[in-house]
Amino acid sequence: MRDIQGYTMNFGPQHPAAHGVLRLVLEMEGEVIRAIDPHIGLLHRATEKLAEQRIFNQSIGYMDRLDYVSMMVNEHAYVMAIEKLLGITPPPRALWIRTMYDELTRITNHLMWLGAHGLDIGAMTVFLYCFREREDIMDMYEAVSGARMHASYYRPGGVYRDLPDRMPQYQPSKFRSKKELDKLNEARSGTLLDFIEDFIDRFPKAVDEYETLLTDNRIWKQRTVGIGVVSPERALNLGFSGPMLRGSGIAWDLRKKQPYAMYDQVDFDIPVGTNGDCYDRYLVRVEEMRQSARIVKQCVQWLRANPGPVMLDDHKITPPRRVEMKGDMESLIHHFKLATEGYIVPEGEVYAAVEQPKGEFGIYLVSDGANKPYRIKIRASGFAHLAAIDEICRGHMLADLVSVIGTLDIVFGEIDR
């Protein structure tokens, strides 16, 4: 039998499983991977440099576009860093709203991950199921911020505005009967909180449907069990965080270990794996969706019972209401100064980290006492995970590489920055 020849092969960036901009140079021996060299930078947009040229609030929108599947969580880290330097604390209601939307964002991230991961491996139906629920969360984003994805909703000192009293409704159309229209608008007849509560009540049943399709599916288990195994020690040494770390059996979660917002006042569990393979990481993320639903339910109950301000009443940092601005000269001056010059952040440096759906997302912010950051360094959770792809995949088959890329849950907005 003749020897198998080694060869070099490109994987991506046009490959569907490469999710747009990942290029891997593979050293192959037949179907077996011997080495992987990831080539990054194809989505580099100089976010950190651009932030140095903008006043602080103008960079909130850049944060949405880093990991563009976990939009508001990225904003949270950035505004937390600014708030630490300013020495301010948002009102409690604003912190509860942030906690609630962080968890809704975690659900929408994991739905996108599960749908895409399933599609990569060959499970088409779960992709359609996940987007069914994800669409409702996009509507929650739009109701509160006006945008389906890039919300720019969190602000230093609180959130942009309070939760609306009514949900946008589907309008009559020649393509829908009145019965279909009434069914679509059934959950939208009340406030945004009513809509969120209705979603959270039916969401666990939807997760059961995903699990029915995948958890005991023979083909799914053959593609994920024993694939991409990472030991707890290696996961720590490689700088893993989030589900990649918890899937290897280490119960590290910043929401528990370094609580921020209102996470110290809500009840939830941290799911952990035992084998550190793709299947365990799948189970961890699915259980995280259930735990996020628990947290959102508690947030809805608190927000119903406790009305109040959602933004600090310090107009050196937060803009006055438009009603005040149109009738009061001092408010008009505050508004003009904030829109043109922004606010001064005291000199210093700070690191703020949040438990993003993919892992620890951190902002290291240096201020020189001006109205713009002197330097911003973004700690992207997916960067460390992608760096380990060579070690994880060596000795696996080419088909297993697709499973590993899926389980890493990488988005290049934050990796390339």
Side-chain angles (χ1 to χ4, degrees), residues 199-335:
F199 173 81
I200 289 304
D201 288 342
R202 56 189 162 82
F203 184 66
K205 187 169 178 288
V207 180
D208 291 340
E209 290 179 357
Y210 313 149
E211 290 218 69
T212 302
L213 286 171
L214 296 179
T215 302
D216 291 323
N217 184 307
R218 179 169 52 91
I219 301 171
W220 180 259
K221 292 180 84 168
Q222 284 171 344
R223 294 299 303 272
T224 55
V225 173
I227 304 299
V229 177
V230 183
S231 69
E233 297 77 22
R234 284 307 293 156
L236 277 175
N237 292 340
L238 290 165
F240 283 6
S241 56
M244 289 294 294
L245 185 61
R246 293 190 287 274
S248 293
I250 296 175
W252 177 263
D253 190 314
L254 293 180
R255 296 172 296 170
K256 288 276 194 186
K257 305 295 184 185
Q258 300 170 18
Y260 55 93
M262 288 299 180
Y263 282 110
D264 56 344
Q265 297 187 35
V266 291
D267 182 38
F268 66 101
D269 299 320
I270 304 175
V272 293
T274 51
N275 302 315
D277 59 5
C278 291
Y279 187 69
D280 272 21
R281 290 187 282 271
Y282 153 75
L283 294 174
V284 164
R285 287 185 175 106
V286 168
E287 182 57 31
E288 276 188 12
M289 287 196 281
R290 298 185 189 276
Q291 296 302 322
S292 291
R294 271 180 72 190
I295 295 171
V296 172
K297 185 87 171 172
Q298 294 167 67
C299 292
V300 168
Q301 290 168 353
W302 192 95
L303 289 165
R304 278 195 194 286
N306 298 275
V310 295
M311 187 68 101
L312 281 181
D313 195 26
D314 178 358
H315 296 323
K316 297 291 182 191
I317 298 164
T318 62
R321 293 171 64 238
R322 294 194 75 81
V323 176
E324 298 167 10
M325 184 192 83
K326 291 177 190 253
D328 174 41
M329 177 55 78
E330 189 180 1
S331 295
L332 180 63
I333 292 168
H334 277 309
H335 186 277

Side-chain angles (χ1 to χ4, degrees), residues 4 8 30 35 57 61 73 76 151 157 180 192 207 333 368 390:
I4 296 171
T8 303
N57 274 20
V73 184
H76 202 163
E180 288 174 322
L192 172 60
V207 180
I333 292 168
D368 58 356
D390 176 48

Side-chain angles (χ1 to χ4, degrees), residues 59-310:
S59 293
I60 296 172
Y62 286 135
M63 300 301 133
D64 288 312
R65 290 158 176 83
L66 288 167
D67 176 358
Y68 40 79
V69 191
S70 312
M71 296 73 68
M72 286 198 199
V73 184
N74 304 338
E75 294 175 23
H76 202 163
Y78 180 66
V79 299
M80 270 173 54
I82 297 170
E83 286 164 356
K84 278 186 180 179
L85 280 176
L86 287 170
I88 58 174
T89 305
R93 186 174 175 84
L95 293 175
W96 278 99
I97 290 173
R98 286 183 185 180
T99 305
M100 180 175 75
Y101 266 91
D102 275 11
E103 294 311 307
L104 288 170
T105 304
R106 194 175 314 280
I107 292 172
T108 193
N109 178 93
H110 286 348
L111 288 175
M112 179 74 190
W113 161 79
L114 183 59
H117 189 25
L119 199 60
D120 288 346
I121 291 179
M124 178 83 183
T125 310
V126 73
F127 179 79
L128 303 173
Y129 278 26
C130 288
F131 269 68
R132 178 188 60 192
E133 272 69 56
R134 195 169 182 268
E135 197 62 29
D136 284 340
I137 301 179
M138 294 290 101
D139 287 345
M140 296 169 200
Y141 261 64
E142 190 173 7
V144 85
S145 71
R148 280 167 56 86
M149 286 183 67
H150 305 310
S152 296
Y153 180 58
Y154 295 0
R155 304 289 164 87
V159 293
Y160 165 58
R161 63 179 178 185
D162 206 347
L163 306 175
D165 292 332
R166 58 186 296 274
M167 275 295 289
Q169 298 198 342
Y170 287 98
Q171 299 303 308
S173 160
K174 63 181 180 181
F175 301 109
R176 288 194 191 100
S177 67
K178 187 176 186 306
K179 186 179 177 184
E180 288 174 322
L181 190 69
D182 292 342
K183 190 171 188 305
L184 284 170
N185 287 329
E186 190 177 355
R188 297 166 181 269
S189 55
T191 65
L192 172 60
L193 279 176
D194 293 332
F195 183 71
I196 293 173
E197 189 166 39
D198 175 76
F199 173 81
I200 289 304
D201 288 342
R202 56 189 162 82
F203 184 66
K205 187 169 178 288
V207 180
D208 291 340
E209 290 179 357
Y210 313 149
E211 290 218 69
T212 302
L213 286 171
L214 296 179
T215 302
D216 291 323
N217 184 307
R218 179 169 52 91
I219 301 171
W220 180 259
K221 292 180 84 168
Q222 284 171 344
R223 294 299 303 272
T224 55
V225 173
I227 304 299
V229 177
V230 183
S231 69
E233 297 77 22
R234 284 307 293 156
L236 277 175
N237 292 340
L238 290 165
F240 283 6
S241 56
M244 289 294 294
L245 185 61
R246 293 190 287 274
S248 293
I250 296 175
W252 177 263
D253 190 314
L254 293 180
R255 296 172 296 170
K256 288 276 194 186
K257 305 295 184 185
Q258 300 170 18
Y260 55 93
M262 288 299 180
Y263 282 110
D264 56 344
Q265 297 187 35
V266 291
D267 182 38
F268 66 101
D269 299 320
I270 304 175
V272 293
T274 51
N275 302 315
D277 59 5
C278 291
Y279 187 69
D280 272 21
R281 290 187 282 271
Y282 153 75
L283 294 174
V284 164
R285 287 185 175 106
V286 168
E287 182 57 31
E288 276 188 12
M289 287 196 281
R290 298 185 189 276
Q291 296 302 322
S292 291
R294 271 180 72 190
I295 295 171
V296 172
K297 185 87 171 172
Q298 294 167 67
C299 292
V300 168
Q301 290 168 353
W302 192 95
L303 289 165
R304 278 195 194 286
N306 298 275
V310 295

